[in-house]
Amino acid sequence: MAGNPFVQPFAKGEWGEGEDPEQTDRAVGASPQAGAAVAGGDAAAAAESWRAEVKQPLVPDSRGQPVTKATASAVIDLLYWHDIKQTGIVFGSVLLLLFSLTQFSVVSVIAYLALAALSATISFRIYKSVLQAVQKTDEGHPFKSYLDMDATLSEEQIQKYADSALVYVNSTVKELRRLFLVQDLVDSLKFAVLMWLLTYVGAIFNGLTLMIMAVVSMFTLPVVYEKYQAQIDQYLGLVRTHVNSVVAKIQAKIPGAKRKTE
């Protein structure tokens, strides 16, 4: 996209963090102000017009379309316990579900959850009906607002999620092909070592145990890292330096293992 004045601010550092001019450029046609600025060669004005029109930071998703940071922010709030009550409910519910799966089959867990939900909704429905009969009121169905909600998925939404999933599937297939067909010897050796280590992990833990450990780590490690970031970064730097030196020695000794400089 060389020569396009709309992408020039990127080289000058005028684009903010998370803004990709290559992605937003394709939507300039929808912005009269930004389009006029581009036509006039004013790149800075084009960038500012675009920011003012969308009124929120842009980040490119896997399909290259600008999306808001709301989802990422919600996940960060959960993992960093910004709302203790909300995070506690999510964390406890996920752990309870996983522990239930260690004791019962998937069918049993689904059946028990359905029975619990039905017991709550039926009891509440009967309670409200009796209350309305005693008070001689006509408030209607207690779940009417939820029954009237549109719970259908449009074709556009389905296509959006399908396209997202397709991007991840294609990238995974390409990466696995690259590793298994030894496009880069060092990366394939690293992958082989990782698989070898996983054989020992699999002999000690089953899949559900690993999932429980992953969930606990997701909700504890970010908070620990935030509190002890300086010390952790120091030790990680030492480990990274040691690993890089070992990899460099292996690359020097194995023919064809050294990466080609681009």
Side-chain angles (χ1 to χ4, degrees), residues 197-209:
L197 292 175
L198 287 179
T199 60
Y200 289 94
V201 174
I204 300 173
F205 307 104
N206 58 30
L208 280 174
T209 305

Side-chain angles (χ1 to χ4, degrees), residues 7-77:
V7 301
Q8 290 176 2
F10 184 72
K12 300 177 182 178
E14 297 179 33
W15 284 95
E17 182 181 355
E19 294 181 343
D20 187 350
E22 295 288 344
Q23 307 300 339
T24 54
D25 181 47
R26 67 183 64 178
V28 172
S31 172
Q33 293 84 358
V38 169
D42 192 346
E48 292 303 320
S49 297
W50 179 255
R51 290 192 189 101
E53 192 154 322
V54 296
K55 293 184 176 64
Q56 56 187 359
L58 298 176
V59 293
D61 68 357
S62 58
R63 291 169 290 112
Q65 299 295 331
V67 294
T68 66
K69 292 182 178 179
T71 303
S73 177
V75 173
I76 291 174
D77 288 342

Side-chain angles (χ1 to χ4, degrees), residues 20 73 144 177 185 219 245:
D20 187 350
S73 177
K144 188 177 186 305
R177 179 184 64 182
L185 182 57
F219 284 91
S245 65

Side-chain angles (χ1 to χ4, degrees), residues 130-163:
V130 172
L131 192 63
Q132 291 177 26
V134 172
Q135 296 179 349
K136 297 184 182 321
T137 58
D138 187 15
E139 298 178 2
H141 199 287
F143 299 117
K144 188 177 186 305
S145 59
Y146 297 101
L147 291 172
D148 292 339
M149 287 177 59
D150 185 13
T152 59
L153 287 174
S154 64
E155 292 184 5
E156 291 78 10
Q157 288 176 313
I158 295 175
Q159 186 65 38
K160 172 186 173 183
Y161 297 133
D163 289 344

